[in-house]
Amino acid sequence: MPGNKDTKLAARSALIMMRDHAKARLKAYATRHRMRETGWHFMIDSSIISGKDGDRVSESGLVLMRCTGPRYFCIRVTVDSDSPSTPEATSEMPILDVDAERVAHLIFSRDGWTQTKAIKKQSDKIVENAKPVGDEQDA
C-alpha cells in the first residue's frame, strides 16, 4: 500500500494549494469591498480513500475569512486524486457570505491559519442559508 500513502500526501498537498488560492481570492474580495480581514480558519470536512488498494483520495474543506464588522465569508475547496486540481478552479467556486452565528464556535487566527477537522454535516450546517456574494469582478 505505498501508493495509498503517496496518493493521500499528494491530495493533501493539492488541498493546501487550493486553500491558499482561495485565501488570496477572499482577500482580494475583501480589499475590493473596503473590508479588512481579521482572521482565517480552515476546516477539513471530508477525507475519503477508495478504489482498489486505496489508490483514490478525495478531500474537501472550507476556507473561512473573518472581516471587520464582524462579517464572515467562505469558499469550499475540493480535490480528487483522479482529476487535476488547479488554482483556477477556485475562481469557479462561489464566495459565500456566512451567518456569524454559524461560525461562532470557531477560532480565527489573525496571523495564519486555525485548522480543524469536522464531518461534512457540520460544515454543511455552516454554509446552510449562506448567500453567494455575486461579485462580477471576482473572476
Side-chain angles (χ1 to χ4, degrees), residues 56-72:
R56 181 170 178 255
V57 177
S58 178
E59 292 193 317
S60 72
L62 283 181
V63 178
L64 295 137
M65 172 181 68
R66 180 179 65 197
C67 289
T68 51
R71 294 193 62 195
Y72 298 86

Side-chain angles (χ1 to χ4, degrees), residues 66-105:
R66 180 179 65 197
C67 289
T68 51
R71 294 193 62 195
Y72 298 86
F73 299 92
C74 78
I75 295 175
R76 178 175 296 286
V77 292
T78 305
V79 297
D80 191 317
S81 61
D82 281 356
S83 58
S85 300
T86 62
E88 294 78 27
T90 59
S91 64
E92 299 168 12
M93 299 168 196
I95 295 175
L96 301 174
D97 190 345
V98 180
D99 182 6
E101 289 181 18
R102 296 194 182 266
V103 293
H105 63 289

Side-chain angles (χ1 to χ4, degrees), residues 120-137:
K120 195 155 182 316
K121 194 168 29 173
Q122 292 169 320
S123 61
D124 285 347
K125 203 74 166 150
I126 288 173
V127 297
E128 187 178 64
N129 301 325
K131 295 177 178 57
V133 295
D135 185 17
E136 297 82 29
Q137 295 181 355

Side-chain angles (χ1 to χ4, degrees), residues 9-93:
L9 182 62
R12 182 58 54 96
S13 295
L15 187 67
I16 297 304
M17 178 194 69
M18 298 293 279
R19 176 201 70 183
D20 293 344
H21 285 282
K23 179 181 181 180
R25 187 168 162 229
L26 285 165
K27 193 171 189 160
Y29 173 80
T31 300
R32 248 191 333 278
H33 293 280
R34 295 186 170 93
M35 293 183 282
R36 184 173 54 90
E37 78 276 356
T38 60
W40 297 95
H41 188 91
F42 184 50
M43 177 182 285
I44 298 175
D45 61 10
S46 176
S47 185
I48 301 168
I49 299 173
S50 60
K52 186 180 179 185
D53 297 324
D55 58 354
R56 181 170 178 255
V57 177
S58 178
E59 292 193 317
S60 72
L62 283 181
V63 178
L64 295 137
M65 172 181 68
R66 180 179 65 197
C67 289
T68 51
R71 294 193 62 195
Y72 298 86
F73 299 92
C74 78
I75 295 175
R76 178 175 296 286
V77 292
T78 305
V79 297
D80 191 317
S81 61
D82 281 356
S83 58
S85 300
T86 62
E88 294 78 27
T90 59
S91 64
E92 299 168 12
M93 299 168 196

